[in-house]
Amino acid sequence: MTTFWDALHVVLSPEIAAVMFLAAVFGLFVGATPGLTATMATALLVPITFFMPPVAAIGAIVTCSAMAIFAGDIPAALLRIPGTPASAAYTDETFALNRKGRLDLALGTNMTASALGGIFGTIVLVFAAPQLADFALSFSSVEYFWLALLGLSCATLVSIGSPLKGIVSLCFGLLLSMIGLDVVMGFPRFTFGSMDLQGGVSLIAVLIGAFAVAELMRKATNLGRPLPVPPPIRGSILKGQARVLWQHRKGLARGSVLGTLIGALPGAGADIAAWISYAVAKRFSRTPEKFGTGHVEGVVEASASNNAALSGAYIPALVFGIPGDSITAIVIGVLLIKGLTPGPTVFTSSPDLIAAVYVVFFLANFLMVPLGIAAIHLGRRILMIRPGVLYPLILLFCVIGAFATNNAVFDVWVMLVIGVVVWIMEANGYAAAPMVLGLVLGRVVEETFVNSMIKSNGSLLIFFERPLSAVLGVVTLLVWAYPVVVLLCRNLRHASPDTSSRAS
Amino acid sequence: MRLPDTVTGLAFALLGIAAVLVARGFPAPGGQAVGPALFPTIVGTIMAAAGLIVAGRALFDRNRRALRIEDWMRRPGTLVAIAIVPAGIATYALLAPLVGTIVVGAAVVFAMALAWRERVGAALLAGAVASVALYAFFVMALRVPLPAGPIELWFQ
């Protein structure tokens, strides 16, 4: 408990509180701007967090991403354009509420359910993470190898688009992670004689390229007319909220639980959580026919779900160092750069850091209500900002940010190449998230594999010797087998009508 | 940019094969089970196989997508708006070490704002304000030595 109070003291120090406040404003702004995602907000923050102590850096990222996920609901309700992909699931619903003249109800529900979902996810994080970490202390390099591999496998399986393309994207990230001195002998791999590549590809440059530069280029392909100016909001946003939430308390609880679980799953993040929760809400509703006509039930459940997912993703990230989504992949990257390797030992070696993460999460979700109300009222103005001014500014920020982390022009080139490659990849159905996960986890997979092999004198049996490693190994192999089985079943089903028609 | 799956699949397959070929030149492990070549070889092979399947599937798909001219490709304005993003980054990387961050940054923002259909006055203002503000933030608050030119030296 004393650690908790110490952490609260640290987080509420003027510097960190100021950093969190600014990150919140930044997150609300980016989230409320259609076309800018929460992941992009986080990627843009990274070069700045690079110069901060770890608690401030995590505080900035957590606050910014939580705010961005909520703020994505604002343009969704105002203009039927989701500000971030995580709001897409219920955009039609909140816009329908707007058409009914209940914009205050739509956005109020978005905000309060988001905050409650986020707080629920944080409570689970606070209780589950230390238990899991205790358990994980007995893990050896073998278990970590399987966990990292399992994380990568899940990431390709649940990634948007075809799993096959997810595998290609993952391999591309893994190859990127191998550039530089290798872990076994310190031999320079794929450096082609370049000194700049010896230390490896800069993660920050790749992140900004993949999540910001590629987005800018995609945005340019549909430079449309300026957005229409939405109407001002009438009525109090919090009025009647308690009643709505109490009425849909079951959905709120279900969305929070499901969101946390989906978030904790490697590779699945807030957007998938929102889609699934919205579908679940409809499935279990007594009035499913009202969905899509401006009915608040699904909005409660899915709004809670996507913010809960954000907290849930930190469970595997902090305990095992396996990111649950692209935002936590960025967080792990930032911690690694700061010389902190996320894992169970962090819970014993720096409990202050872990406690600070919890405090940051609670504060961020509490802050969401007052700052959210301000953002809802200013939302109209954010949407009136001209893209011709905003986007060039983001580009310059990307360039300077990529340069700043290592003071290297080379990193700017890396960002450029990755940005163009990811732009082409995403237009052709290759998701960027598996690539980033591959880049972050590639070294972990290789290091743990090599360490295990050295321990076993080259025998592969070590990977199945301990009961725990055997279980993890079998689960991983099942995840690999799953798409193959699905494909076979589908082919058989396709084949059977043919044979029956031939027989007749 | 939508390309046929045959093209993207083959491109990734070639990259995988190239990785395997380069890895063959890596030294053998001295008395150890695993050398630096093992992982690149495995990953390169998987990538080549997955890429070839992507390409092969598209090849045998009857309603496959040929290289199609998309709507935005016909609009020169949009092409410029897209190209200005990588071009702006390259310009900064090439020229900022010579001329300094403020001038190049302002020019990049100005050009991109124009390409994104902003008025000349607003574009000029955005360029000047953005580059000076970002330079000040990174140099003074974060103490990053950004590429400096005559203007920046004059500021100091």
Side-chain angles (χ1 to χ4, degrees), chain A residues 252-485:
Chain A
L252 185 66
R254 201 168 40 208
S256 303
V257 173
L258 202 62
T260 311
L261 288 177
I262 294 172
L265 210 70
D271 36 348
I272 296 176
W275 282 110
I276 293 181
S277 278
Y278 186 76
V280 168
K282 194 172 176 183
R283 172 77 183 69
F284 285 100
S285 171
R286 284 202 201 122
T287 50
E289 71 282 355
K290 282 191 184 167
F291 276 67
T293 63
H295 187 50
V296 85
E297 193 177 353
V299 179
V300 173
E301 190 154 344
S303 293
S305 179
N306 59 15
N307 275 79
L310 215 54
S311 320
Y314 279 75
I315 299 173
L318 288 177
V319 177
F320 306 120
I322 312 283
D325 60 1
S326 9
I327 293 177
T328 40
I330 299 177
V331 172
I332 289 179
V334 169
L335 288 178
L336 287 175
I337 292 169
K338 295 195 172 302
L340 272 167
T341 313
T345 46
V346 178
F347 283 76
T348 41
S349 65
S350 9
D352 46 329
L353 179 76
I354 299 292
V357 173
Y358 299 155
V359 172
V360 159
F361 257 107
F362 279 119
L363 273 184
N365 283 295
F366 284 126
L367 265 179
M368 196 181 286
V369 176
L371 289 179
I373 292 175
I376 289 172
H377 285 292
L378 292 173
R380 297 175 61 219
R381 309 234 169 269
I382 295 176
L383 291 171
M384 284 171 0
I385 291 178
R386 295 206 293 266
V389 173
L390 178 61
Y391 289 90
L393 220 154
I394 294 177
L395 179 74
L396 186 60
F397 193 86
C398 291
V399 176
I400 294 182
F403 175 88
T405 44
N406 292 326
N407 295 329
V409 174
F410 183 77
D411 286 355
V412 178
W413 289 112
V414 171
M415 175 188 76
L416 169 62
V417 172
I418 295 293
V420 175
V421 170
V422 169
W423 175 64
I424 296 174
M425 277 170 63
E426 290 204 309
N428 291 289
Y430 299 87
M435 182 199 88
V436 171
L437 252 56
L439 179 59
V440 171
L441 287 180
R443 282 206 156 230
V444 179
V445 173
E446 186 167 8
E447 247 174 54
T448 50
F449 182 80
V450 170
N451 286 341
S452 310
M453 288 299 272
I454 291 173
K455 273 187 230 161
S456 74
N457 276 328
S459 159
L460 280 170
L461 277 178
I462 189 176
F463 290 99
F464 294 95
E465 260 168 18
R466 285 158 47 120
L468 193 60
S469 58
V471 170
L472 285 171
V474 170
V475 171
T476 311
L477 295 180
L478 283 178
V479 168
W480 289 0
Y482 174 76
V484 181
V485 173

Side-chain angles (χ1 to χ4, degrees), chain B residues 16 22 55 67 107 109 127 142 145 148:
Chain B
V22 173
L67 184 58
V109 171
L142 303 180

Side-chain angles (χ1 to χ4, degrees), chain A residues 224-278:
Chain A
R225 279 163 279 135
L227 298 169
V229 178
I233 294 164
R234 278 183 227 100
S236 161
I237 289 164
L238 287 177
K239 200 177 154 199
Q241 266 310 306
R243 203 171 45 81
V244 171
L245 292 177
W246 181 251
Q247 205 180 341
H248 300 292
R249 58 189 180 279
K250 248 191 199 164
L252 185 66
R254 201 168 40 208
S256 303
V257 173
L258 202 62
T260 311
L261 288 177
I262 294 172
L265 210 70
D271 36 348
I272 296 176
W275 282 110
I276 293 181
S277 278
Y278 186 76

Side-chain angles (χ1 to χ4, degrees), chain A residues 47-48 51 145 162 164-165 167-172 174-175 178 182 184-185 187-190 192 213 216-217 219-225 386-389 391-393 395-397 399-401 403-405 407 409 412-413 415-416 420-421 423-430 442 445-446 449-450 453-454 457-459 487, chain B residues 1-5 8-9 12 15-16 19 22-23 25-30 32-40 43-44 46-47 50-51 53-54 57 65 72 75 78 81-82 84-86 88-90 92-94 97 101 105 108-109 112-113 115-119 122 126 130-131 134-135 137-138 142 144-147:
Chain A
I48 302 179
F51 298 97
F145 169 74
S162 91
L164 207 58
K165 287 182 173 176
I167 293 175
V168 172
S169 168
L170 173 70
C171 288
F172 183 54
L174 287 172
L175 282 182
M178 287 168 200
D182 92 295
V184 193
M185 302 165 68
F187 177 80
R189 294 189 295 196
F190 305 112
F192 307 103
V213 174
L216 288 178
M217 293 179 69
K219 189 82 191 153
T221 47
N222 45 22
L223 268 189
R225 279 163 279 135
R386 295 206 293 266
V389 173
Y391 289 90
L393 220 154
L395 179 74
L396 186 60
F397 193 86
V399 176
I400 294 182
F403 175 88
T405 44
N407 295 329
V409 174
V412 178
W413 289 112
M415 175 188 76
L416 169 62
V420 175
V421 170
W423 175 64
I424 296 174
M425 277 170 63
E426 290 204 309
N428 291 289
Y430 299 87
V445 173
E446 186 167 8
F449 182 80
V450 170
M453 288 299 272
I454 291 173
N457 276 328
S459 159
L487 201 72
Chain B
M1 190 162 54
R2 302 274 292 169
L3 296 167
D5 273 358
T8 57
F12 279 118
L15 190 64
V22 173
F26 294 169
Q32 271 173 2
V34 188
L38 181 73
F39 263 72
V43 173
I46 298 175
M47 191 173 180
I53 299 176
V54 169
R57 265 193 190 171
R65 195 172 66 229
W72 58 266
R75 294 191 296 263
T78 309
I82 295 171
I84 199 97
V85 176
I89 299 171
Y92 182 90
L94 289 173
T101 294
V108 167
V109 171
M112 182 167 163
W116 285 44
R117 300 173 202 170
E118 194 46 73
R119 288 189 298 263
S131 64
L134 279 180
Y135 183 82
F137 175 69
F138 273 89
L142 303 180
V144 178
L146 289 180

Side-chain angles (χ1 to χ4, degrees), chain A residues 140-161:
Chain A
S140 68
S141 59
V142 177
E143 280 82 16
Y144 278 109
F145 169 74
W146 282 124
L147 269 179
L149 207 58
L150 188 63
L152 292 180
S153 316
C154 289
T156 50
L157 199 67
V158 297
S159 78
I160 299 148

